[in-house]
Amino acid sequence: MKMKLTLLCLTAIIAAFTACKSSQSTTATTVTIDGEWRITEVNGKAIKQEPGENEAYISLDAKGKKMNGCAGCNRMFGGFEIDTAKKTIQFGNMGMTRMMCPDMTTEDLVVSTINDVTTYETAKDGTLTLKSADGKK
């Protein structure tokens, strides 16, 4: 099933993730976290692609427990643990490329929040929201 990008969140070397909003289109009535998600918001701050900046996104594979993506400048990759019954998710140690870009604002925001993510929510409209223990998105 081909998924269409619409909204997303994430990034880091051994970073911290508080939360994100994202979405994707699917033909199924239930939304899974599998697929590629464009990061649109982190901690209530809208994320937009600046000129010369890569699009911030994350790709999740629940079965393989692997993630990869881009934090706005650098590529990121790593693993995660998920409990679909409890809707919990925890990102493990992650690696990143180490390029310097003209504007690191999006990158810094994404990287500084990844390790804080503890739960996720999916909505019928295709939105994925990652949250920290204190409920921040």
PDB file of all heavy atoms in Angstrom, residues 73-86:
ATOM      1  N   CYS A  73      18.328  18.812   8.173  1.00  0.00           N
ATOM      2  CA  CYS A  73      19.661  18.957   7.597  1.00  0.00           C
ATOM      3  C   CYS A  73      20.302  17.576   7.466  1.00  0.00           C
ATOM      4  O   CYS A  73      20.650  17.156   6.390  1.00  0.00           O
ATOM      5  CB  CYS A  73      20.525  19.858   8.478  1.00  0.00           C
ATOM      6  SG  CYS A  73      22.238  20.025   7.934  1.00  0.00           S
ATOM      7  N   ASN A  74      20.425  16.888   8.569  1.00  0.00           N
ATOM      8  CA  ASN A  74      21.113  15.597   8.621  1.00  0.00           C
ATOM      9  C   ASN A  74      20.167  14.415   8.588  1.00  0.00           C
ATOM     10  O   ASN A  74      19.034  14.491   9.055  1.00  0.00           O
ATOM     11  CB  ASN A  74      21.973  15.531   9.884  1.00  0.00           C
ATOM     12  CG  ASN A  74      23.179  16.425   9.775  1.00  0.00           C
ATOM     13  OD1 ASN A  74      24.097  16.121   9.038  1.00  0.00           O
ATOM     14  ND2 ASN A  74      23.153  17.548  10.485  1.00  0.00           N
ATOM     15  N   ARG A  75      20.661  13.306   8.050  1.00  0.00           N
ATOM     16  CA  ARG A  75      19.929  12.040   8.038  1.00  0.00           C
ATOM     17  C   ARG A  75      20.063  11.405   9.421  1.00  0.00           C
ATOM     18  O   ARG A  75      21.096  11.532  10.069  1.00  0.00           O
ATOM     19  CB  ARG A  75      20.511  11.104   6.976  1.00  0.00           C
ATOM     20  CG  ARG A  75      20.528  11.673   5.579  1.00  0.00           C
ATOM     21  CD  ARG A  75      19.317  11.426   4.766  1.00  0.00           C
ATOM     22  NE  ARG A  75      18.962  10.033   4.758  1.00  0.00           N
ATOM     23  CZ  ARG A  75      17.706   9.610   4.727  1.00  0.00           C
ATOM     24  NH1 ARG A  75      16.722  10.461   4.682  1.00  0.00           N
ATOM     25  NH2 ARG A  75      17.427   8.337   4.718  1.00  0.00           N
ATOM     26  N   MET A  76      19.024  10.727   9.850  1.00  0.00           N
ATOM     27  CA  MET A  76      19.038  10.040  11.148  1.00  0.00           C
ATOM     28  C   MET A  76      18.564   8.606  10.953  1.00  0.00           C
ATOM     29  O   MET A  76      17.853   8.293  10.005  1.00  0.00           O
ATOM     30  CB  MET A  76      18.164  10.778  12.144  1.00  0.00           C
ATOM     31  CG  MET A  76      16.732  10.918  11.745  1.00  0.00           C
ATOM     32  SD  MET A  76      15.848  11.984  12.888  1.00  0.00           S
ATOM     33  CE  MET A  76      14.315  12.129  12.013  1.00  0.00           C
ATOM     34  N   PHE A  77      18.956   7.739  11.887  1.00  0.00           N
ATOM     35  CA  PHE A  77      18.586   6.334  11.797  1.00  0.00           C
ATOM     36  C   PHE A  77      18.730   5.701  13.178  1.00  0.00           C
ATOM     37  O   PHE A  77      19.498   6.164  14.017  1.00  0.00           O
ATOM     38  CB  PHE A  77      19.472   5.598  10.781  1.00  0.00           C
ATOM     39  CG  PHE A  77      20.934   5.882  10.970  1.00  0.00           C
ATOM     40  CD1 PHE A  77      21.708   5.091  11.797  1.00  0.00           C
ATOM     41  CD2 PHE A  77      21.526   6.961  10.341  1.00  0.00           C
ATOM     42  CE1 PHE A  77      23.054   5.371  11.988  1.00  0.00           C
ATOM     43  CE2 PHE A  77      22.866   7.247  10.519  1.00  0.00           C
ATOM     44  CZ  PHE A  77      23.632   6.445  11.348  1.00  0.00           C
ATOM     45  N   GLY A  78      17.954   4.656  13.423  1.00  0.00           N
ATOM     46  CA  GLY A  78      18.026   3.975  14.711  1.00  0.00           C
ATOM     47  C   GLY A  78      16.885   3.001  14.878  1.00  0.00           C
ATOM     48  O   GLY A  78      16.203   2.624  13.923  1.00  0.00           O
ATOM     49  N   GLY A  79      16.654   2.605  16.115  1.00  0.00           N
ATOM     50  CA  GLY A  79      15.600   1.650  16.415  1.00  0.00           C
ATOM     51  C   GLY A  79      14.620   2.205  17.426  1.00  0.00           C
ATOM     52  O   GLY A  79      14.810   3.286  17.984  1.00  0.00           O
ATOM     53  N   PHE A  80      13.564   1.453  17.640  1.00  0.00           N
ATOM     54  CA  PHE A  80      12.575   1.839  18.650  1.00  0.00           C
ATOM     55  C   PHE A  80      11.821   0.608  19.114  1.00  0.00           C
ATOM     56  O   PHE A  80      11.787  -0.416  18.453  1.00  0.00           O
ATOM     57  CB  PHE A  80      11.614   2.904  18.109  1.00  0.00           C
ATOM     58  CG  PHE A  80      10.723   2.470  16.968  1.00  0.00           C
ATOM     59  CD1 PHE A  80       9.441   1.994  17.203  1.00  0.00           C
ATOM     60  CD2 PHE A  80      11.173   2.550  15.660  1.00  0.00           C
ATOM     61  CE1 PHE A  80       8.628   1.610  16.152  1.00  0.00           C
ATOM     62  CE2 PHE A  80      10.367   2.175  14.596  1.00  0.00           C
ATOM     63  CZ  PHE A  80       9.087   1.705  14.842  1.00  0.00           C
ATOM     64  N   GLU A  81      11.253   0.720  20.292  1.00  0.00           N
ATOM     65  CA  GLU A  81      10.387  -0.310  20.859  1.00  0.00           C
ATOM     66  C   GLU A  81       8.970   0.235  20.849  1.00  0.00           C
ATOM     67  O   GLU A  81       8.747   1.413  21.117  1.00  0.00           O
ATOM     68  CB  GLU A  81      10.804  -0.656  22.293  1.00  0.00           C
ATOM     69  CG  GLU A  81      12.163  -1.319  22.405  1.00  0.00           C
ATOM     70  CD  GLU A  81      12.212  -2.687  21.739  1.00  0.00           C
ATOM     71  OE1 GLU A  81      11.211  -3.422  21.806  1.00  0.00           O
ATOM     72  OE2 GLU A  81      13.257  -3.003  21.134  1.00  0.00           O
ATOM     73  N   ILE A  82       8.018  -0.640  20.552  1.00  0.00           N
ATOM     74  CA  ILE A  82       6.633  -0.209  20.477  1.00  0.00           C
ATOM     75  C   ILE A  82       5.720  -1.257  21.093  1.00  0.00           C
ATOM     76  O   ILE A  82       5.975  -2.452  20.980  1.00  0.00           O
ATOM     77  CB  ILE A  82       6.225   0.081  19.012  1.00  0.00           C
ATOM     78  CG1 ILE A  82       4.836   0.698  18.948  1.00  0.00           C
ATOM     79  CG2 ILE A  82       6.343  -1.176  18.169  1.00  0.00           C
ATOM     80  CD1 ILE A  82       4.503   1.282  17.591  1.00  0.00           C
ATOM     81  N   ASP A  83       4.688  -0.812  21.769  1.00  0.00           N
ATOM     82  CA  ASP A  83       3.635  -1.679  22.293  1.00  0.00           C
ATOM     83  C   ASP A  83       2.327  -1.115  21.742  1.00  0.00           C
ATOM     84  O   ASP A  83       1.828  -0.101  22.230  1.00  0.00           O
ATOM     85  CB  ASP A  83       3.631  -1.674  23.820  1.00  0.00           C
ATOM     86  CG  ASP A  83       2.599  -2.618  24.415  1.00  0.00           C
ATOM     87  OD1 ASP A  83       1.550  -2.862  23.764  1.00  0.00           O
ATOM     88  OD2 ASP A  83       2.820  -3.103  25.530  1.00  0.00           O
ATOM     89  N   THR A  84       1.795  -1.762  20.700  1.00  0.00           N
ATOM     90  CA  THR A  84       0.604  -1.238  20.044  1.00  0.00           C
ATOM     91  C   THR A  84      -0.639  -1.320  20.928  1.00  0.00           C
ATOM     92  O   THR A  84      -1.537  -0.501  20.791  1.00  0.00           O
ATOM     93  CB  THR A  84       0.347  -1.964  18.709  1.00  0.00           C
ATOM     94  OG1 THR A  84       0.267  -3.372  18.942  1.00  0.00           O
ATOM     95  CG2 THR A  84       1.452  -1.670  17.714  1.00  0.00           C
ATOM     96  N   ALA A  85      -0.689  -2.277  21.844  1.00  0.00           N
ATOM     97  CA  ALA A  85      -1.834  -2.395  22.742  1.00  0.00           C
ATOM     98  C   ALA A  85      -1.876  -1.220  23.720  1.00  0.00           C
ATOM     99  O   ALA A  85      -2.944  -0.672  24.005  1.00  0.00           O
ATOM    100  CB  ALA A  85      -1.782  -3.714  23.505  1.00  0.00           C
ATOM    101  N   LYS A  86      -0.722  -0.822  24.227  1.00  0.00           N
ATOM    102  CA  LYS A  86      -0.638   0.278  25.187  1.00  0.00           C
ATOM    103  C   LYS A  86      -0.380   1.624  24.518  1.00  0.00           C
ATOM    104  O   LYS A  86      -0.385   2.660  25.177  1.00  0.00           O
ATOM    105  CB  LYS A  86       0.482   0.023  26.194  1.00  0.00           C
ATOM    106  CG  LYS A  86       0.221  -1.170  27.089  1.00  0.00           C
ATOM    107  CD  LYS A  86       1.369  -1.369  28.042  1.00  0.00           C
ATOM    108  CE  LYS A  86       1.135  -2.590  28.929  1.00  0.00           C
ATOM    109  NZ  LYS A  86       2.284  -2.830  29.814  1.00  0.00           N
TER     110      LYS A  86
END
